Amino acid sequence: MRKRSVRDLDVAGKRVLVREDFNVPMQDGQIADETRITAALPTIRYLLNQGAAVILISHLGRPRGRIDPGMSLRPVAERLAELLGCPVSLAPPGAGEDVEAMARQLRPGDVLLLENVRFQPEEEANDEDFARSLARLGDLYVNDAFGSAHRAHASTEGIAHFLPSATGLLMERELTALSGALQDPRRPLAALIGGAKISSKIGVLENLLSVADEFLIGGGMANTFLLARGMEVGASLIELEAVHVAREFLEQARRQSAPVYLPVDVIVAERVAVDAETKVVPASAVAEGWRIVDIGPETVRRFGDVLRRAGTVIWNGPMGVFEIPAFSEGTRALARILAESPADVIVGGGDSVAAVEQAGLADDMAHISTGGGASLEFLEGRELPGVAALDDMEGAA
Ligand code: ADP
Ligand code: MG
């Protein structure tokens, strides 16, 4: 069922608690990348324009339940104030009486940022009393932190039981794109899966078996599939214990008549290093001692043909060791094809998104998921606790 959206709430004159994902990368006390802050702005601006006072909640880093000034959200409060063009006050740690007093004084249009919620051990423990004291700070709860929704913490899950709740605009966009692709995709639906290991993606592969029409498998995990089809892969990354998983997957896909495309040619290197010698070889002719580091040009052509025909593409996992420029061409070439494609293209996964951003193509994709681990769990068909706890469209209040 669809979750209630912040747009369905009457927020004027209310104090609205918003769980954000302000877990930005920091370097020497400076924000190294503010993407997550800018992504949060639409919901915050919407609420302020509607006459709400806004209380923002986020974690930053892993302070493990202790107050660590190095992980204070102060730099985020300062940057947010600049971006919003209004003051953003930072509360002291916790959700005690001092914070409650600050919250009570808020007027429509005011913005208060709570200090790093993971300074309290009760946050990750999803402590009920802590969730209750967070809930006491406001009248309504909005969750816009899709990237934290796979964690059942006090500020992502527990709190939703004590207040009328809804998704923020960013969360709503994520859920619409991801559930649309899984539940009602424009067909054919092609799953483009790569990355290092089968073992970390088996949940995604198995869940997509029930919805995707065709599979394109690249990256390190393709090596184990090649093994399963009886090929030699030299010194490439492999998971011997996952060969049977690959075999079962291929068998199941065959039973469903879902084609599975594997690399037909690959880039091999003697070492996984910037200055390594490389060559293009057929996937069936990887010599001893050589490592597969990317898909080859013929594979790009074939995968490209399938992707160009697709109505929907779910992409998770780079096609090669894209961190090294010489091994990133397969990933980049497919990213270019998808950027030009009219298909509903969903890119999920931390490294996949990084690869697309590195290629400068993020703005050209239909949907780049901000979720990382949360996107993967969603693609695995798992219910995200931070989403499940939110009120349904027909929910109470
Ligand atoms: P995501 O974060 O998008 O879910 P993964 O974490 O599963 O993706 O995979 C990304 C990693 O896979 C990258 O670090 C990349 O170097 C690695 N990788 C891709 N292809 C290969 C390969 N052929 N051999 C070794 N590692 C690979
Ligand atoms: Mg990754």
Side-chain angles (χ1 to χ4, degrees):
M1 199 186 307
R2 189 165 90 76
K3 291 291 169 182
R4 183 160 55 187
S5 156
V6 62
R7 294 174 295 115
D8 304 316
L9 294 175
D10 181 10
V11 301
K14 304 270 173 56
R15 283 170 300 153
V16 183
L17 288 153
V18 190
R19 179 55 158 96
E20 301 286 6
D21 179 4
F22 289 148
N23 186 27
V24 290
M26 300 290 294
Q27 222 160 28
D28 310 321
Q30 308 276 349
I31 298 167
D33 179 347
E34 64 183 32
T35 310
R36 288 179 172 172
I37 303 179
T38 47
L41 294 175
T43 298
I44 301 173
R45 288 203 177 108
Y46 171 83
L47 288 166
L48 295 174
N49 288 337
Q50 297 286 314
V54 175
I55 303 167
L56 305 171
I57 313 175
S58 178
H59 74 278
L60 175 64
R62 297 174 179 273
R64 299 189 186 286
R66 275 197 294 271
I67 296 177
D68 178 342
M71 292 185 204
S72 167
L73 281 168
R74 180 162 301 285
V76 172
E78 287 166 3
R79 184 63 187 128
L80 199 54
E82 287 168 9
L83 291 165
L84 289 171
C86 72
V88 174
S89 18
L90 181 70
E97 281 167 22
D98 47 347
V99 180
E100 207 179 322
M102 282 180 94
R104 283 198 191 290
Q105 282 167 15
L106 296 175
R107 295 278 157 268
D110 286 349
V111 184
L112 173 66
L113 172 62
L114 301 192
E115 186 51 286
N116 191 342
V117 73
R118 286 196 192 164
F119 283 175
Q120 271 59 48
E122 294 86 355
E123 162 66 359
E124 292 184 70
N126 198 4
D127 179 85
E128 194 176 315
D129 289 333
F130 183 60
R132 221 188 286 271
S133 35
L134 285 173
R136 257 200 299 276
L137 303 175
D139 308 303
L140 300 167
Y141 172 69
V142 167
N143 192 344
D144 212 19
F146 180 71
S148 303
H150 58 315
R151 312 266 184 235
H153 293 168
S155 71
T156 62
E157 201 274 342
I159 184 176
H161 298 289
F162 300 113
L163 288 174
S165 59
T167 60
L169 301 174
L170 183 61
M171 171 80 91
E172 187 186 359
R173 203 154 54 82
E174 290 278 4
L175 296 178
T176 305
L178 292 170
S179 57
L182 291 182
Q183 287 163 19
D184 187 23
R186 285 201 287 152
R187 296 206 178 262
L189 165 57
L192 175 60
I193 310 292
K197 292 186 167 183
I198 292 185
S199 49
S200 66
K201 295 290 161 68
I202 188 61
V204 174
L205 283 170
E206 279 173 358
N207 187 47
L208 292 181
L209 258 180
S210 61
V211 288
D213 300 299
E214 41 203 353
F215 291 86
L216 304 145
I217 297 178
M221 74 151 73
N223 304 340
T224 303
F225 277 93
L226 293 172
L227 277 184
R229 281 200 178 155
M231 284 175 235
E232 308 273 347
V233 295
S236 303
L237 173 74
I238 52 165
E239 294 164 279
L240 280 180
E241 65 292 349
V243 174
H244 75 279
V245 175
R247 258 194 214 113
E248 279 161 29
F249 178 85
L250 292 170
E251 177 55 27
Q252 182 58 33
R254 198 186 57 78
R255 263 186 254 132
Q256 294 176 204
S257 311
V260 179
Y261 300 88
L262 295 179
V264 290
D265 61 344
V266 289
I267 311 292
V268 291
E270 282 189 292
R271 291 168 297 121
V272 182
V274 189
D275 56 348
E277 192 191 328
T278 64
K279 51 188 183 181
V280 184
V281 298
S284 56
V286 178
E288 216 173 293
W290 288 75
R291 293 164 196 270
I292 300 174
V293 292
D294 197 2
I295 55 174
E298 179 56 25
T299 304
V300 167
R301 238 183 320 275
R302 293 194 188 186
F303 282 18
D305 287 343
V306 176
L307 295 172
R308 282 194 196 88
R309 288 195 325 261
T312 306
V313 178
I314 295 178
W315 182 10
N316 171 246
M319 294 292 108
V321 186
F322 75 99
E323 296 91 337
I324 297 178
F327 310 155
S328 71
E329 195 38 52
T331 303
R332 284 167 175 272
L334 294 187
R336 282 192 293 271
I337 289 168
L338 291 174
E340 285 166 13
S341 155
D344 294 328
V345 178
I346 314 277
V347 187
D351 292 294
S352 315
V353 171
V356 171
E357 280 171 351
Q358 209 179 75
L361 296 169
D363 291 341
D364 301 310
M365 301 292 176
H367 185 76
I368 295 277
S369 180
T370 54
S375 324
L376 284 195
E377 290 200 16
F378 198 101
L379 294 178
E380 287 172 0
R382 291 210 253 165
E383 184 169 70
L384 308 182
V387 175
L390 298 174
D391 291 340
D392 291 322
M393 193 51 205
E394 282 96 337

